[in-house]
Amino acid sequence: MTHAIQDVVVRDIEPVDTDAITEVLVAAMSDGLVAQWMAPDADDRREHSPEYFSIFAEHAVRHGEVYATVDPFDGRPSGVALWFPLTHAIPPPVDYDRRLKEAAGPAFDRACQLDAMLEEEHPIVPHHYLAFLAVRPERQNLGIGSSLLARHHRRLDRAGIPAYLEANDPRNRALYLRHGYESRPPILLPDGPPVWPMWRPPSA
């Protein structure tokens, strides 16, 4: 299924290619502020990021909803959004603790710390959770992130369902504010960057 928004085509990925999803997540997020806090060494991040992000790509394919924009020149996904409908119970990723330990490498302790701090602030009321919104660096600032958000927000608004996410840098936070999210007090990672929990009530 496709939907054109501002000349950007957003697709539900089908058939699902978890490798392609993981590639976008790695390209967009492996050098972000939170990733650098988890694994300060760039070589460690390059080695472990693909396996780390593949856990969540596979989990979203099984239990969530994945949207992508496709680059018109090479046919690869240029942006992806991974949503989880927490209006019902969703199991954790398969064999998560073991896979996280293998995937995170020397960043395992901080990965567990991040999980715990995010979980402590996560709302318990029914909502949809945007776990990741990622756009390849060379395709950023072209409206792709906004298009991916709008694609799902229309569904949430029709159903009267709120949305929740965590913004991992000030630029992302500003994007989400423009799309109707309300920023809550930040989660302060020890000796690291702030992460902002953000809540979006459904629009009339």
Side-chain angles (χ1 to χ4, degrees):
M1 179 167 57
T2 65
H3 192 90
I5 307 171
Q6 298 177 349
D7 297 323
V8 176
V9 176
V10 180
R11 291 188 173 90
D12 304 306
I13 295 184
E14 189 178 347
V16 176
D17 184 346
T18 55
D19 289 342
I21 299 168
T22 299
E23 286 177 8
V24 178
L25 294 174
V26 170
M29 308 190 76
S30 60
D31 286 324
L33 297 176
V34 173
Q36 292 183 44
W37 172 80
M38 286 177 57
D41 184 85
D43 290 336
D44 284 340
R45 291 199 304 275
R46 280 192 292 271
E47 178 181 354
H48 295 287
S49 286
E51 190 174 357
Y52 175 79
F53 285 113
S54 71
I55 296 173
F56 304 102
E58 293 171 11
H59 189 49
V61 166
R62 291 190 179 101
H63 297 288
E65 299 181 37
V66 181
Y67 304 117
T69 58
V70 178
D71 193 299
F73 300 105
D74 59 18
R76 298 186 306 159
S78 53
V80 296
L82 278 58
W83 288 92
F84 290 94
L86 299 184
T87 51
H88 58 271
I90 291 178
V94 175
D95 207 5
Y96 181 63
D97 291 341
R98 179 191 62 79
R99 290 193 66 188
L100 181 64
K101 189 167 187 177
E102 293 177 354
F108 176 67
D109 288 343
R110 284 198 163 178
C112 292
Q113 191 173 27
L114 176 65
D115 282 353
M117 295 182 75
L118 297 185
E119 180 65 25
E120 185 176 353
E121 297 296 328
H122 203 114
I124 59 173
V125 298
H127 64 281
H128 280 208
Y129 173 49
L130 179 60
F132 293 103
L133 177 69
V135 179
R136 292 182 185 275
E138 69 273 14
R139 299 289 292 165
Q140 292 177 5
N141 302 312
L142 298 176
I144 291 172
S146 290
S147 298
L148 287 164
L149 288 172
R151 172 67 171 78
H152 199 66
H153 286 167
R154 280 198 300 274
R155 289 181 53 196
L156 297 181
D157 291 343
R158 286 195 297 269
I161 297 173
Y164 177 77
L165 56 83
E166 299 102 1
N168 55 17
D169 69 39
R171 187 178 69 165
N172 290 346
R173 178 175 175 269
L175 169 68
Y176 299 131
L177 288 171
R178 293 197 299 271
H179 283 268
Y181 286 83
E182 302 164 355
S183 186
R184 297 179 172 181
I187 299 166
L188 301 176
L189 301 177
D191 300 317
V195 176
W196 290 273
M198 304 190 75
W199 180 261
R200 180 185 183 273
S203 178

